[in-house]
């Protein structure tokens, strides 16, 4: 019945299109840039009966290729071809009916900033700080409630909006820099004008607008300017799989197949292995990739050729507009995988040194590695995705530090996890992390044991890959409940009524202050350590609750020791001679302790040592 109603509405709209007024409401992308590598630009033009208008423009180096009418007469998809030497400037796109001008849009091709195409993406030299913006710092209480935004602030509701914003993050950058972080990843900041539970950002209702309760597009650009001043980078969280159920186009879709399973939605099976399964049925594949993530997140149909073009251009627009240094792509295996391969190619065509990390939440490294650039898959699939989230390693660290030691349990899980690196085309380009916004905090996973958390952090900050730390880890943030709203709690000091302030130290316990110092010490040391960024890795099978690995290059060797035992251990280094030969002493950078004799090392109970060998 719903499909019939939708079809009738489209038919009636089409019949009335030639007699009704024409009104232009949106052009997306709103502007573009001269000098992009791809000459193609497709504009989504939206407005009442806009398809009944004839489109024209005149500007040197800009060719109007086509204006495609679709099922809904309120849309036109205008294809332009930009000459390689087209100059920045403005021109009018005219919409005429019976030769009479009825609407026009002043379009602009902006000049690209010098070096824009060569920008350096986040890499192994970085440590990323992950922030849930609504829960970090309320820098501007005046935007907590904004006219026209459906959900109002409610700090008493763990799933409500609490008021954190971009201004709060900008005001906190010195704190992050002093802790040694070099990159910031924000959970999505684009408009989520949903009736409820909109704080997380993953139900986008406008792909070109920052949510007004966070600030503005201009403030987002300001954030990255401030990061650039500090030599720090900005990573944007993007979602191609779905939009929010209250997105502006949901009341007037371009065409019936803009979404999958519309209007009678089906929830995805979440069986992500359909992408790799050589025996998969089409029915099972469709049930996963075409299903809605949840009822409030309609599934975008990337098989419709207009959808991928819209999404690809949107991501490039944000990279260029905001000066991004990275993208984190949500729910990587859920969209059409061929489209995702094309997307990575297009982004890296424009920005060859850029980095993109995909979220494939699987504990099986064979599944995760399938997507990485350079991976040779038996089904012939290849993608240009440079980086993935290393969920298998996160799970291994959590289990290894929680379990009793045994032949197949405890620290051996760390060894075995890294032994699977042969599956990856580029294991160094993985984001490694103790936790994130979707899981219980590592401090909680480890039974709120501060010493075990220190060991985990020392490991993630020295192992291969790009470390990411979730906000509040540095002050031992934890939670009683395990719902998302509990995990994503307010950062202490982020609101005027907080009695504990992580920025000033007021009200922090001795353990919390100690953890801040511990993290800052390692991370600021790490900043200038090429051996940790790009050095080779050699590790040794754990023995007696002690795991040892080395990072080394031509100039330096660093030894990392994890002692899980509840008593101090005397570690003989004889079995490590193949890499320690020629070194006689060292210095533990965590405790600043000199080690005059490297033949035996006293390792404190439940601790990590990071030893620069001499």
């Amino acid at each position: 019945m719903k499909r019939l109603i939708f079809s009738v509405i489209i038919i009636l709209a089409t019949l009335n299109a030639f007699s009704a007024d024409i009104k232009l409401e949106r052009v997306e992308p709103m502007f573009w840039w001269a000098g992009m590598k791809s000459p193609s630009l497709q504009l989504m033009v939206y407005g009442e009966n806009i398809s009944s208008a004839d489109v024209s423009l005149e500007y040197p180096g800009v060719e109007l290729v086509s204006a495609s009418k679709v099922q809904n007469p309120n849309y036109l998809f205008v294809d332009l071809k930009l000459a390689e030497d087209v100059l920045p400037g403005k021109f009018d796109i005219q919409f005429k009916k019976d030769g009479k001008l009825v609407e026009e849009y002043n379009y602009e091709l902006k000049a690209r900033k010098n070096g824009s195409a060569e920008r350096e993406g986040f890499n192994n030299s970085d440590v990323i700080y992950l922030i849930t913006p609504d829960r970090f710092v309320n820098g501007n209480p005046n935007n907590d409630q904004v006219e026209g935004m459906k959900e109002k602030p409610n700090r008493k509701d763990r799933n409500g909006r609490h008021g954190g914003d971009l201004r709060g993050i900008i005001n906190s950058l010195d704190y992050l820099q002093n802790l040694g972080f070099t990159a910031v990843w924000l959970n999505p900041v684009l408009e989520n004008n949903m009736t409820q539970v909109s704080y997380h950002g993953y139900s986008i209702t406008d792909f070109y607008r920052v949510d007004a309760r966070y600030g503005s597009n201009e403030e987002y650009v300001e954030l990255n300017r401030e990061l650039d001043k500090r030599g720090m980078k900005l990573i944007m969280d993007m979602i191609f799989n779905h939009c929010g159920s209250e997105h502006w186009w949901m009341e007037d879709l371009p065409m019936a197949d803009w979404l999958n399973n519309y209007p009678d939605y089906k929830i995805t099976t979440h069986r992500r292995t359909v992408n790799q399964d050589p025996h998969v049925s089409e029915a099972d594949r469709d049930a996963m990739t075409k299903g809605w993530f949840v009822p409030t997140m309609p599934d975008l149909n990337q098989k419709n050729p207009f959808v991928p073009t819209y999404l690809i251009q949107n991501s490039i627009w944000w990279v260029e507009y905001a000066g991004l240094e990275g993208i984190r792509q949500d729910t990587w295996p859920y969209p059409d995988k061929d489209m995702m391969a094309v997307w990575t190619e297009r982004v890296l065509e424009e920005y060859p040194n850029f980095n993109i990390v995909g979220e494939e939440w699987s504990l099986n490294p064979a599944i995760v590695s399938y997507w990485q650039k350079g991976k040779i898959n038996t089904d012939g699939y290849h993608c240009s995705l440079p980086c993935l989230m290393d969920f298998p390693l996160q799970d291994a660290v959590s289990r290894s530090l929680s379990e009793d030691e045994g032949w197949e349990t405890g620290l051996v899980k760390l060894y075995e996890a890294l032994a699977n690196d042969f599956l990856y085309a580029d294991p160094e380009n993985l984001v490694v992390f103790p936790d994130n916004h979707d899981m219980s905090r590592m401090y909680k996973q480890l039974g709120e044991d501060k010493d075990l958390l220190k060991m985990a952090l020392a490991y993630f900050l020295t192992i291969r890959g790009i470390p990411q730390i979730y906000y509040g880890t540095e002050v031992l943030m934890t939670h009683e409940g395990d719902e998302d709203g509990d995990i994503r709690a307010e950062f202490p000091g982020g609101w005027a009524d907080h009695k504990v302030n992580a920025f000033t130290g007021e009200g922090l316990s001795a353990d919390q202050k100690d953890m801040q110092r511990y993290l800052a010490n390692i991370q600021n040391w790490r900043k200038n350590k090429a051996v940790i960024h790009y050095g080779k890795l050699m590790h040794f099978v754990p023995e007696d609750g002690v795991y040892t690995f080395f990072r080394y290059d031509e100039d330096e060797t660093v030894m990392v020791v994890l002692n899980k035992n509840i008593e101090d251990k005397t570690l003989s280094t004889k079995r490590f001679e193949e890499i320690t030969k020629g070194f006689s002493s060292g210095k533990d950078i965590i405790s600043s302790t000199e080690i005059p004799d490297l033949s035996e090392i006293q390792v404190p109970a439940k601790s990590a040592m990071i030893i620069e060998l001499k």
Side-chain angles (χ1 to χ4, degrees):
M1 178 60 72
K2 289 181 181 178
R3 293 185 184 279
L4 177 59
I5 292 172
F6 182 84
S7 299
V8 169
I9 290 172
I10 293 296
I11 292 170
L12 291 175
T14 304
L15 292 174
N16 292 331
F18 296 101
S19 59
D21 292 336
I22 296 172
K23 182 180 179 182
L24 177 64
E25 296 182 28
R26 285 177 179 264
V27 175
E28 294 180 344
M30 300 83 75
F31 53 81
W32 200 246
W33 292 267
M36 302 296 276
K37 291 186 180 178
S38 173
S40 300
L41 175 62
Q42 185 177 91
L43 307 180
M44 174 194 272
V45 181
Y46 175 72
E48 188 176 356
N49 301 308
I50 196 68
S51 69
S52 64
D54 297 319
V55 183
S56 62
L57 62 87
E58 290 186 9
Y59 188 78
V62 179
E63 176 187 350
L64 175 61
V65 178
S66 64
S68 301
K69 299 179 181 181
V70 294
Q71 192 175 14
N72 187 337
N74 294 336
Y75 288 84
L76 269 177
F77 289 86
V78 177
D79 285 288
L80 306 179
K81 184 177 181 181
L82 309 181
E84 186 175 350
D85 59 352
V86 66
L87 296 176
K90 297 182 178 181
F91 56 92
D92 290 329
I93 301 176
Q94 297 187 334
F95 301 87
K96 297 180 179 179
K97 182 70 179 294
D98 299 326
K100 180 182 178 181
L101 181 66
V102 291
E103 286 281 10
E104 66 180 354
Y105 184 87
N106 189 243
Y107 205 82
E108 182 177 8
L109 292 178
K110 294 179 178 289
R112 300 183 74 181
K113 293 180 180 178
N114 290 335
S116 177
E118 290 75 39
R119 73 188 63 217
E120 186 78 17
F122 68 92
N123 56 43
N124 300 70
S125 68
D126 292 307
V127 179
I128 303 166
Y129 194 69
L130 167 58
I131 296 174
T132 300
D134 182 66
R135 305 299 171 85
F136 190 55
V137 179
N138 189 352
N140 179 15
N142 293 327
N143 64 19
D144 291 358
Q145 185 166 320
V146 177
E147 185 177 356
M149 306 305 286
K150 298 170 186 175
E151 188 176 14
K152 309 306 178 187
N154 184 0
R155 289 177 63 196
K156 294 181 180 179
D157 182 359
R158 60 188 170 188
N159 293 316
R161 296 197 75 98
H162 289 207
D165 50 34
L166 292 174
R167 184 55 53 192
I169 298 169
I170 292 170
N171 294 344
S172 307
L173 294 184
D174 287 345
Y175 169 78
L176 300 186
Q177 184 180 22
N178 290 336
L179 282 173
F181 290 100
T182 61
V184 174
W185 157 27
L186 307 182
N187 291 144
V189 296
L190 299 186
E191 183 189 273
N192 271 235
N193 197 8
M194 302 286 288
T195 303
Q196 59 185 0
V197 195
S198 64
Y199 78 93
H200 52 71
Y202 289 94
S203 299
I204 292 175
T205 57
D206 191 324
F207 281 92
Y208 280 96
R209 180 180 299 172
V210 166
D211 194 293
R213 291 160 295 190
Y214 291 146
S216 64
N217 286 19
E218 291 75 20
E219 280 182 291
Y220 189 64
V221 174
E222 180 188 349
L223 168 62
N224 205 19
R225 280 202 306 268
E226 291 300 319
L227 286 165
D228 287 343
K229 290 177 183 177
R230 295 164 173 81
M232 300 170 71
K233 301 171 184 177
L234 181 60
I235 301 167
M236 190 175 196
D237 206 333
M238 294 186 177
I239 310 104
F240 280 5
N241 179 63
H242 53 262
C243 62
S245 57
E246 297 173 67
H247 190 287
W248 66 263
W249 60 39
M250 291 301 294
E251 296 297 321
D252 196 26
L253 288 173
M255 54 205 89
D257 68 347
W258 190 257
L259 305 173
N260 289 313
N261 292 309
Y262 180 82
D264 299 317
Y265 73 82
K266 296 178 182 178
I267 298 299
T268 176
T269 62
H270 298 284
R271 296 290 182 185
R272 298 183 299 276
T273 49
V274 298
N275 286 298
Q276 295 88 359
D277 181 3
H279 316 294
V280 68
S281 68
E282 286 298 320
D284 284 343
R285 180 179 290 151
D286 287 349
M288 201 292 285
T289 60
K290 295 183 179 180
W292 290 27
F293 202 75
V294 295
T296 57
M297 296 177 179
D299 196 70
L300 295 168
N301 176 20
Q302 291 90 21
K303 292 292 188 185
N304 178 320
F306 295 106
V307 173
T309 301
Y310 181 91
L311 295 172
I312 290 169
Q313 289 184 166
N314 176 259
S315 61
I316 292 173
W317 189 90
W318 278 109
V319 175
E320 193 71 21
Y321 172 71
L324 302 177
E325 287 86 12
I327 293 171
R328 181 264 186 183
Q329 186 63 246
D330 185 61
T331 55
W332 182 270
Y334 288 81
D336 179 75
K337 68 181 187 180
D338 294 322
M339 177 266 179
M340 298 303 282
V342 172
W343 171 65
T344 56
E345 291 170 2
R346 280 285 293 111
V347 173
L348 294 174
E349 176 189 24
E350 296 290 352
Y351 311 101
N353 303 318
F354 198 67
N355 207 355
I356 305 167
V357 57
E359 181 206 27
E360 166 62 275
W361 194 335
S362 172
L363 305 185
N364 183 349
I367 299 298
V368 178
S369 64
Y370 175 85
W371 303 104
Q372 194 173 39
K373 182 179 181 180
K375 174 71 171 182
I376 300 175
N377 293 305
T378 56
D379 64 358
Y381 179 77
H382 66 273
C383 185
S384 294
L385 178 65
C387 179
L388 287 124
M389 308 295 298
D390 196 345
F391 282 95
L393 189 63
Q394 187 282 329
D395 182 70
V397 172
S398 179
R399 291 178 183 274
S400 70
L401 295 177
S402 303
E403 297 174 343
D404 292 336
E405 290 298 302
W407 176 254
E408 294 181 333
T409 58
L411 291 176
V412 72
K413 280 190 164 59
L414 293 183
Y415 180 87
E416 291 179 344
L418 289 180
N420 284 323
D421 275 2
F422 72 93
L423 293 166
Y424 295 101
D426 186 3
E428 286 75 28
N429 201 357
L430 298 172
V431 170
V432 297
F433 56 101
D435 52 35
N436 64 21
H437 59 291
D438 285 327
M439 64 174 65
S440 181
R441 288 179 174 268
M442 179 59 84
Y443 186 45
K444 185 78 169 179
Q445 293 178 43
L446 298 177
E448 298 189 0
D449 187 316
K450 175 174 66 78
D451 294 325
L452 291 180
L453 179 61
K454 283 184 171 182
M455 291 174 64
L457 292 174
Y459 177 82
F460 283 115
L461 292 169
T462 54
I463 202 65
R464 59 95 176 110
I466 307 164
Q468 167 252 294
I469 308 296
Y470 194 33
Y471 80 96
T473 299
E474 73 274 19
V475 288
L476 302 175
M477 279 185 68
T478 187
H479 45 96
E480 293 184 6
D482 285 321
E483 289 194 16
D484 288 342
D486 300 313
I487 296 165
R488 307 162 185 169
E490 292 179 3
F491 184 76
W495 277 255
D497 59 0
H498 284 179
K499 292 181 172 55
V500 178
N501 192 319
F503 300 107
T504 65
E506 182 181 359
L508 289 180
S509 69
D511 282 347
Q512 288 175 308
K513 291 179 180 179
D514 178 56
M515 185 59 75
Q516 280 183 322
R517 290 190 294 267
Y518 184 86
L519 197 64
N521 179 32
I522 298 176
Q523 291 186 166
N524 282 301
W525 167 83
R526 187 188 189 280
K527 280 184 179 180
N528 301 310
K529 284 294 169 182
V531 66
I532 302 297
H533 306 162
Y534 304 110
K536 295 180 180 179
L537 169 65
M538 181 184 293
H539 64 162
F540 292 79
V541 176
E543 289 184 354
D544 196 22
V546 179
Y547 176 46
T548 305
F549 64 90
F550 295 81
R551 301 299 306 277
Y552 63 101
D553 59 20
E554 292 182 354
D555 301 315
E556 192 170 7
T557 298
V558 173
M559 177 182 186
V560 182
V561 184
L562 304 181
N563 177 19
K564 189 179 161 187
N565 297 282
I566 59 174
E567 66 275 347
D568 296 353
K569 284 288 183 180
T570 300
L571 180 65
S572 170
T573 60
K574 186 172 180 58
R575 67 186 288 241
F576 313 135
E577 283 184 347
E578 63 187 283
I579 192 166
T580 59
K581 187 176 181 180
F583 297 106
S584 59
S585 63
K587 180 181 179 180
D588 175 26
I589 68 101
I590 294 177
S591 63
S592 296
T593 301
E594 296 289 344
I595 303 171
D597 182 3
L598 202 61
S599 62
E600 285 189 341
I601 301 173
Q602 300 301 315
V603 188
K606 286 176 69 175
S607 72
M609 298 181 74
I610 302 173
I611 305 168
E612 295 178 323
L613 301 188
K614 300 179 182 179

